[in-house]
Amino acid sequence: MSAPMPQLAATHQDPWWSQSLAHGAPGTALLHITRARAGHGSWDNAHRWATAMTGRPATAHPNLAGLFLGVPAIAYVLNAAGHPAYERALTSLDRPIATLIRQRLRAAHHRLNSHQPVRLREFDLMRGLTGLGVYILHRHGDGDLLREVLAYLVRLTHPLDDGMPGWWSSDGPNGKPSAKWPGGHGNLGLAHGITGPLALLAAAMRRDITVDGQSEAISRIVAELDRWQRPAPAGGVWWPGLLTPDEWATGTVTATSPQRPSWCYGTPGLARAQQLAALAMADQVRLDHAGQALAACVRDEMQLSQLTDGSLCHGWAGLVRTVERAVDDDTSGELATVLPALRDRLAHWAESERIPERGGLLEGPEGIHLCRSGTSPPTTIVATTADIAWDACLLLDG
Protein backbone atom coordinates (compact mmCIF):
# COMPACT_ATOMS: atom_id res chain seq x y z
CA MET A 1 0.00 0.00 0.00
CA SER A 2 1.60 3.25 -1.11
CA ALA A 3 1.55 6.40 0.96
CA PRO A 4 -1.67 8.23 0.06
CA MET A 5 -1.45 11.33 -2.09
CA PRO A 6 -2.56 14.29 0.07
CA GLN A 7 -6.04 15.50 -0.76
CA LEU A 8 -7.36 19.03 -0.41
CA ALA A 9 -9.79 19.34 2.47
CA ALA A 10 -12.56 21.88 2.40
CA THR A 11 -11.47 23.44 5.69
CA HIS A 12 -8.58 23.12 8.11
CA GLN A 13 -8.71 24.21 11.73
CA ASP A 14 -5.00 24.85 12.29
CA PRO A 15 -4.39 28.56 11.60
CA TRP A 16 -0.74 27.82 10.68
CA TRP A 17 -1.61 25.04 8.20
CA SER A 18 -1.96 27.38 5.22
CA GLN A 19 1.50 28.90 5.73
CA SER A 20 3.75 26.08 7.02
CA LEU A 21 6.13 24.64 4.43
CA ALA A 22 7.21 22.07 6.99
CA HIS A 23 3.79 20.74 8.01
CA GLY A 24 1.02 22.36 5.98
CA ALA A 25 -0.41 23.41 2.65
CA PRO A 26 2.79 24.93 1.13
CA GLY A 27 4.54 21.56 1.32
CA THR A 28 1.61 19.85 -0.36
CA ALA A 29 1.41 22.60 -2.97
CA LEU A 30 5.11 22.08 -3.67
CA LEU A 31 4.43 18.39 -4.31
CA HIS A 32 1.64 19.08 -6.78
CA ILE A 33 3.56 21.88 -8.48
CA THR A 34 6.56 19.60 -8.92
CA ARG A 35 4.32 16.88 -10.36
CA ALA A 36 2.77 19.39 -12.77
CA ARG A 37 6.17 20.63 -13.91
CA ALA A 38 7.23 17.05 -14.57
CA GLY A 39 4.09 16.29 -16.55
CA HIS A 40 2.95 13.78 -13.92
CA GLY A 41 0.11 15.89 -12.55
CA SER A 42 -2.24 18.67 -13.54
CA TRP A 43 -1.68 22.37 -13.14
CA ASP A 44 -5.35 22.67 -12.13
CA ASN A 45 -4.60 20.59 -9.04
CA ALA A 46 -1.44 22.59 -8.34
CA HIS A 47 -3.41 25.84 -8.64
CA ARG A 48 -6.02 24.57 -6.15
CA TRP A 49 -3.29 23.92 -3.58
CA ALA A 50 -1.67 27.28 -4.32
CA THR A 51 -5.04 28.86 -3.62
CA ALA A 52 -5.33 26.91 -0.37
CA MET A 53 -2.02 28.23 0.91
CA THR A 54 -2.74 31.83 -0.11
CA GLY A 55 -6.37 31.95 1.05
CA ARG A 56 -5.54 33.23 4.53
CA PRO A 57 -3.29 36.09 5.68
CA ALA A 58 0.30 34.94 6.24
CA THR A 59 2.70 36.27 8.83
CA ALA A 60 5.72 38.40 8.07
CA HIS A 61 6.41 39.05 11.75
CA PRO A 62 10.19 39.04 12.37
CA ASN A 63 9.81 36.70 15.36
CA LEU A 64 7.85 34.13 13.36
CA ALA A 65 8.37 34.23 9.62
CA GLY A 66 11.13 32.26 7.93
CA LEU A 67 11.73 30.00 4.97
CA PHE A 68 9.44 27.32 6.41
CA LEU A 69 6.67 29.55 7.80
CA GLY A 70 4.72 32.58 6.72
CA VAL A 71 5.16 34.84 3.72
CA PRO A 72 8.64 33.48 2.78
CA ALA A 73 7.34 29.89 2.78
CA ILE A 74 4.48 30.77 0.44
CA ALA A 75 6.78 32.79 -1.81
CA TYR A 76 9.29 29.93 -1.96
CA VAL A 77 6.65 27.57 -3.32
CA LEU A 78 5.29 30.08 -5.83
CA ASN A 79 8.81 30.84 -7.02
CA ALA A 80 9.62 27.14 -7.36
CA ALA A 81 6.65 26.77 -9.69
CA GLY A 82 8.22 29.03 -12.29
CA HIS A 83 4.69 29.66 -13.58
CA PRO A 84 3.71 33.04 -15.04
CA ALA A 85 0.39 32.90 -13.19
CA TYR A 86 2.24 33.43 -9.92
CA GLU A 87 4.59 36.22 -10.93
CA ARG A 88 2.27 39.03 -9.90
CA ALA A 89 1.78 37.50 -6.46
CA LEU A 90 5.54 36.98 -6.11
CA THR A 91 6.22 40.59 -7.00
CA SER A 92 3.76 41.71 -4.33
CA LEU A 93 5.65 39.60 -1.76
CA ASP A 94 9.11 40.94 -2.63
CA ARG A 95 8.76 44.08 -0.51
CA PRO A 96 7.50 42.50 2.74
CA ILE A 97 10.15 39.79 2.50
CA ALA A 98 12.89 42.38 1.95
CA THR A 99 11.54 44.36 4.91
CA LEU A 100 11.50 41.22 7.04
CA ILE A 101 15.11 40.38 6.17
CA ARG A 102 16.31 43.88 6.94
CA GLN A 103 14.50 43.80 10.28
CA ARG A 104 16.15 40.48 11.10
CA LEU A 105 19.57 41.76 10.04
CA ARG A 106 19.26 44.91 12.16
CA ALA A 107 18.30 42.85 15.20
CA ALA A 108 21.14 40.39 14.59
CA HIS A 109 23.81 43.07 14.28
CA HIS A 110 22.46 44.84 17.36
CA ARG A 111 22.81 41.59 19.30
CA LEU A 112 26.33 41.06 18.00
CA ASN A 113 27.28 44.61 18.93
CA SER A 114 25.86 43.98 22.41
CA HIS A 115 27.98 40.82 22.78
CA GLN A 116 24.93 38.66 23.48
CA PRO A 117 24.73 34.97 22.52
CA VAL A 118 22.70 33.98 19.48
CA ARG A 119 19.28 32.32 19.40
CA LEU A 120 18.86 29.49 16.89
CA ARG A 121 15.98 31.23 15.19
CA GLU A 122 18.25 34.14 14.31
CA PHE A 123 20.48 32.23 11.94
CA ASP A 124 19.27 28.71 11.16
CA LEU A 125 17.86 27.29 7.93
CA MET A 126 14.37 26.58 9.22
CA ARG A 127 13.55 29.92 10.85
CA GLY A 128 16.53 32.21 10.50
CA LEU A 129 18.59 34.29 8.14
CA THR A 130 20.17 31.28 6.44
CA GLY A 131 16.77 30.15 5.21
CA LEU A 132 15.83 33.67 4.15
CA GLY A 133 19.14 33.87 2.30
CA VAL A 134 18.26 30.64 0.47
CA TYR A 135 15.03 32.24 -0.72
CA ILE A 136 16.72 35.42 -1.91
CA LEU A 137 19.42 33.44 -3.71
CA HIS A 138 16.86 31.47 -5.70
CA ARG A 139 14.41 34.32 -6.22
CA HIS A 140 16.79 37.13 -7.14
CA GLY A 141 20.33 35.76 -7.33
CA ASP A 142 23.08 38.24 -6.64
CA GLY A 143 22.11 41.51 -5.01
CA ASP A 144 22.69 43.78 -2.04
CA LEU A 145 20.23 41.98 0.22
CA LEU A 146 21.80 38.56 -0.31
CA ARG A 147 25.25 40.02 0.26
CA GLU A 148 24.08 41.56 3.53
CA VAL A 149 22.91 38.12 4.67
CA LEU A 150 26.23 36.56 3.67
CA ALA A 151 28.15 39.29 5.49
CA TYR A 152 26.11 38.58 8.63
CA LEU A 153 26.89 34.85 8.37
CA VAL A 154 30.58 35.66 8.01
CA ARG A 155 30.38 37.74 11.18
CA LEU A 156 28.57 34.88 12.95
CA THR A 157 31.62 32.64 12.52
CA HIS A 158 33.93 34.90 14.51
CA PRO A 159 34.53 33.87 18.15
CA LEU A 160 32.82 35.66 21.02
CA ASP A 161 34.69 37.49 23.75
CA ASP A 162 34.69 34.36 25.92
CA GLY A 163 36.21 32.27 23.13
CA MET A 164 33.00 30.43 22.24
CA PRO A 165 32.05 30.43 18.56
CA GLY A 166 29.66 33.14 17.42
CA TRP A 167 27.06 30.52 16.56
CA TRP A 168 27.01 29.04 20.10
CA SER A 169 23.35 29.34 21.07
CA SER A 170 21.85 30.31 24.40
CA ASP A 171 18.93 28.01 23.56
CA GLY A 172 18.37 24.33 24.08
CA PRO A 173 18.01 22.21 20.94
CA ASN A 174 14.29 23.02 20.77
CA GLY A 175 15.10 26.67 20.11
CA LYS A 176 14.09 27.86 23.57
CA PRO A 177 16.12 28.52 26.74
CA SER A 178 16.19 25.33 28.78
CA ALA A 179 17.25 24.44 32.31
CA LYS A 180 18.42 21.13 30.87
CA TRP A 181 20.95 23.03 28.75
CA PRO A 182 22.61 25.54 31.09
CA GLY A 183 25.06 27.50 29.05
CA GLY A 184 23.22 26.66 25.83
CA HIS A 185 24.66 24.42 23.14
CA GLY A 186 26.57 24.27 19.90
CA ASN A 187 24.49 22.98 17.01
CA LEU A 188 26.29 21.34 14.09
CA GLY A 189 23.21 20.19 12.16
CA LEU A 190 22.15 21.30 8.70
CA ALA A 191 18.58 22.20 9.68
CA HIS A 192 19.29 24.21 12.83
CA GLY A 193 23.05 24.50 13.15
CA ILE A 194 26.17 25.97 11.63
CA THR A 195 26.34 23.65 8.62
CA GLY A 196 23.29 25.47 7.25
CA PRO A 197 25.29 28.73 6.95
CA LEU A 198 28.23 26.68 5.63
CA ALA A 199 26.11 25.28 2.80
CA LEU A 200 24.66 28.70 1.90
CA LEU A 201 28.06 30.41 1.93
CA ALA A 202 29.37 27.64 -0.33
CA ALA A 203 26.36 27.73 -2.65
CA ALA A 204 26.73 31.49 -3.11
CA MET A 205 30.49 31.21 -3.72
CA ARG A 206 29.89 28.58 -6.40
CA ARG A 207 27.75 31.20 -8.15
CA ASP A 208 30.56 33.77 -7.82
CA ILE A 209 28.62 35.68 -5.15
CA THR A 210 31.10 36.61 -2.43
CA VAL A 211 31.63 39.12 0.35
CA ASP A 212 34.71 40.00 2.37
CA GLY A 213 35.81 37.15 4.60
CA GLN A 214 33.56 34.51 3.03
CA SER A 215 36.27 31.98 2.26
CA GLU A 216 37.77 32.49 5.74
CA ALA A 217 34.34 31.90 7.29
CA ILE A 218 33.96 28.65 5.37
CA SER A 219 37.40 27.60 6.58
CA ARG A 220 36.51 28.38 10.20
CA ILE A 221 33.36 26.26 10.05
CA VAL A 222 35.02 23.25 8.43
CA ALA A 223 37.88 23.50 10.95
CA GLU A 224 35.29 23.12 13.72
CA LEU A 225 33.80 20.11 11.95
CA ASP A 226 37.28 18.61 11.74
CA ARG A 227 37.69 19.15 15.46
CA TRP A 228 34.49 17.29 16.30
CA GLN A 229 34.58 14.39 13.86
CA ARG A 230 34.93 10.96 15.44
CA PRO A 231 35.84 7.56 13.99
CA ALA A 232 32.86 5.29 13.35
CA PRO A 233 33.08 1.70 14.63
CA ALA A 234 32.42 0.27 11.16
CA GLY A 235 34.76 2.70 9.40
CA GLY A 236 34.54 6.29 8.28
CA VAL A 237 33.76 9.19 10.57
CA TRP A 238 30.72 10.81 12.17
CA TRP A 239 29.84 14.09 13.83
CA PRO A 240 27.68 14.84 16.86
CA GLY A 241 24.66 17.00 16.13
CA LEU A 242 24.84 18.88 19.43
CA LEU A 243 27.62 19.99 21.78
CA THR A 244 27.35 20.83 25.48
CA PRO A 245 29.49 23.49 27.18
CA ASP A 246 31.45 20.73 28.95
CA GLU A 247 32.16 18.99 25.66
CA TRP A 248 33.34 22.25 24.17
CA ALA A 249 35.61 22.97 27.13
CA THR A 250 37.19 19.51 27.18
CA GLY A 251 37.15 18.72 23.47
CA THR A 252 35.46 15.39 24.20
CA VAL A 253 32.16 13.99 22.94
CA THR A 254 29.92 12.13 25.37
CA ALA A 255 28.26 9.98 22.71
CA THR A 256 30.31 6.95 21.70
CA SER A 257 28.54 6.01 18.47
CA PRO A 258 26.92 7.80 15.53
CA GLN A 259 23.41 9.17 15.71
CA ARG A 260 20.79 8.31 13.12
CA PRO A 261 21.87 9.11 9.55
CA SER A 262 19.42 11.92 8.87
CA TRP A 263 19.33 15.01 6.68
CA CYS A 264 18.60 17.32 9.59
CA TYR A 265 21.33 16.44 12.11
CA GLY A 266 23.21 13.35 11.00
CA THR A 267 26.30 12.52 9.00
CA PRO A 268 24.50 12.74 5.61
CA GLY A 269 23.59 16.42 5.98
CA LEU A 270 26.95 17.33 7.48
CA ALA A 271 28.86 15.43 4.81
CA ARG A 272 26.88 17.03 1.97
CA ALA A 273 27.51 20.52 3.35
CA GLN A 274 31.22 19.74 3.42
CA GLN A 275 31.08 18.51 -0.17
CA LEU A 276 29.61 21.87 -1.17
CA ALA A 277 32.28 23.72 0.81
CA ALA A 278 34.99 21.64 -0.85
CA LEU A 279 33.61 22.40 -4.29
CA ALA A 280 33.44 26.11 -3.52
CA MET A 281 37.01 26.16 -2.18
CA ALA A 282 38.44 23.72 -4.77
CA ASP A 283 39.55 21.46 -1.90
CA GLN A 284 39.92 17.98 -3.37
CA VAL A 285 41.06 16.42 -0.08
CA ARG A 286 37.93 17.56 1.74
CA LEU A 287 35.74 16.54 -1.17
CA ASP A 288 37.16 13.02 -1.01
CA HIS A 289 36.85 12.93 2.78
CA ALA A 290 33.20 14.03 2.80
CA GLY A 291 32.24 11.52 0.12
CA GLN A 292 34.00 8.73 1.99
CA ALA A 293 32.25 9.68 5.24
CA LEU A 294 28.84 9.53 3.58
CA ALA A 295 29.62 6.26 1.79
CA ALA A 296 30.77 4.64 5.03
CA CYS A 297 27.64 5.89 6.78
CA VAL A 298 25.22 4.34 4.28
CA ARG A 299 27.09 1.03 4.32
CA ASP A 300 26.82 0.79 8.11
CA GLU A 301 23.75 -1.22 9.13
CA MET A 302 24.15 -0.11 12.73
CA GLN A 303 23.57 3.48 11.62
CA LEU A 304 20.83 2.63 9.11
CA SER A 305 18.93 0.65 11.73
CA GLN A 306 18.33 3.88 13.63
CA LEU A 307 16.03 5.17 10.87
CA THR A 308 12.54 4.39 12.10
CA ASP A 309 10.40 6.23 9.54
CA GLY A 310 10.38 7.21 5.89
CA SER A 311 10.31 10.98 6.40
CA LEU A 312 12.30 13.66 4.65
CA CYS A 313 13.53 15.33 7.83
CA HIS A 314 14.95 12.39 9.75
CA GLY A 315 14.04 9.24 7.85
CA TRP A 316 14.73 7.27 4.69
CA ALA A 317 13.53 9.95 2.25
CA GLY A 318 15.97 12.52 3.61
CA LEU A 319 18.83 10.04 3.45
CA VAL A 320 18.02 9.04 -0.13
CA ARG A 321 17.67 12.64 -1.31
CA THR A 322 20.94 13.63 0.32
CA VAL A 323 22.78 10.75 -1.30
CA GLU A 324 21.20 11.53 -4.69
CA ARG A 325 22.54 15.06 -4.43
CA ALA A 326 25.97 13.87 -3.35
CA VAL A 327 26.42 11.18 -6.02
CA ASP A 328 27.68 13.41 -8.81
CA ASP A 329 30.31 14.94 -6.53
CA ASP A 330 31.50 11.64 -5.06
CA THR A 331 34.96 10.96 -6.44
CA SER A 332 35.02 7.31 -5.31
CA GLY A 333 31.87 6.22 -7.11
CA GLU A 334 30.76 4.28 -4.01
CA LEU A 335 27.58 6.29 -3.49
CA ALA A 336 26.31 5.40 -6.97
CA THR A 337 26.82 1.74 -6.09
CA VAL A 338 24.74 1.83 -2.89
CA LEU A 339 22.05 4.26 -4.05
CA PRO A 340 19.73 1.66 -5.70
CA ALA A 341 19.51 -0.34 -2.47
CA LEU A 342 18.71 2.81 -0.49
CA ARG A 343 15.94 3.66 -2.94
CA ASP A 344 14.54 0.16 -2.49
CA ARG A 345 14.44 0.63 1.26
CA LEU A 346 12.64 3.95 0.85
CA ALA A 347 10.13 2.21 -1.42
CA HIS A 348 9.55 -0.36 1.29
CA TRP A 349 8.61 2.36 3.73
CA ALA A 350 6.47 4.19 1.19
CA GLU A 351 4.50 1.02 0.49
CA SER A 352 3.92 0.24 4.16
CA GLU A 353 0.92 1.30 6.17
CA ARG A 354 3.14 3.13 8.67
CA ILE A 355 3.30 6.33 6.61
CA PRO A 356 1.07 9.00 8.20
CA GLU A 357 -1.67 10.45 6.02
CA ARG A 358 -0.68 13.91 7.23
CA GLY A 359 2.50 15.51 8.44
CA GLY A 360 3.58 17.72 5.58
CA LEU A 361 6.80 18.05 3.66
CA LEU A 362 9.22 17.20 6.46
CA GLU A 363 7.45 14.41 8.34
CA GLY A 364 4.55 13.33 6.15
CA PRO A 365 3.84 11.70 2.78
CA GLU A 366 4.61 14.84 0.73
CA GLY A 367 8.35 14.59 1.31
CA ILE A 368 8.31 10.87 0.56
CA HIS A 369 6.37 11.35 -2.68
CA LEU A 370 8.76 14.11 -3.76
CA CYS A 371 11.82 12.00 -3.05
CA ARG A 372 10.41 9.02 -4.90
CA SER A 373 9.46 11.14 -7.90
CA GLY A 374 12.97 12.59 -7.78
CA THR A 375 14.53 9.17 -8.31
CA SER A 376 13.50 9.25 -11.96
CA PRO A 377 14.86 11.81 -14.45
CA PRO A 378 14.58 14.71 -14.59
CA THR A 379 15.66 15.38 -11.00
CA THR A 380 15.53 19.13 -11.64
CA ILE A 381 12.49 20.00 -13.71
CA VAL A 382 12.78 22.91 -16.11
CA ALA A 383 9.87 25.29 -15.76
CA THR A 384 8.73 28.13 -17.97
CA THR A 385 10.56 30.92 -16.16
CA ALA A 386 12.75 29.19 -13.60
CA ASP A 387 14.93 26.17 -13.04
CA ILE A 388 14.54 25.55 -9.33
CA ALA A 389 14.57 22.09 -7.80
CA TRP A 390 11.95 21.43 -5.16
CA ASP A 391 14.65 20.59 -2.58
CA ALA A 392 16.44 23.94 -2.69
CA CYS A 393 14.92 24.57 0.75
CA LEU A 394 17.01 21.67 2.10
CA LEU A 395 20.30 23.26 0.98
CA LEU A 396 21.38 20.06 -0.76
CA ASP A 397 21.56 21.27 -4.35
CA GLY A 398 24.43 23.68 -3.89
Side-chain angles (χ1 to χ4, degrees), residues 19-98:
Q19 53 185 307
S20 172
L21 177 59
H23 303 297
T28 313
L30 182 63
L31 167 63
H32 288 282
I33 282 169
T34 303
R35 286 175 53 81
R37 289 174 64 185
H40 300 153
S42 73
W43 275 107
D44 286 345
N45 204 24
H47 292 330
R48 283 195 291 271
W49 276 98
T51 300
M53 74 173 179
T54 56
R56 297 178 180 178
T59 184
H61 193 287
N63 290 341
L64 296 172
L67 180 60
F68 281 80
L69 184 68
V71 170
I74 290 171
Y76 172 81
V77 175
L78 296 178
N79 190 54
H83 196 291
Y86 302 142
E87 189 56 39
R88 183 175 179 180
L90 275 168
T91 300
S92 72
L93 297 176
D94 283 341
R95 180 172 291 179
I97 291 174

Side-chain angles (χ1 to χ4, degrees), residues 339-391:
L339 182 56
L342 296 176
R343 287 172 171 164
D344 288 343
R345 294 174 83 158
L346 171 60
H348 168 75
W349 276 94
E351 292 162 5
S352 75
E353 296 185 10
R354 290 173 288 182
I355 302 300
E357 293 186 9
R358 296 183 180 178
L361 177 67
L362 292 186
E363 296 182 0
E366 290 88 339
I368 296 170
H369 280 299
L370 279 164
C371 284
R372 295 198 72 195
S373 66
T375 61
S376 300
T379 300
T380 302
I381 302 159
V382 179
T384 53
T385 59
D387 184 11
I388 302 168
W390 66 265
D391 61 349

Side-chain angles (χ1 to χ4, degrees), residues 8 63 107 172 178:
L8 182 59
N63 290 341
S178 171

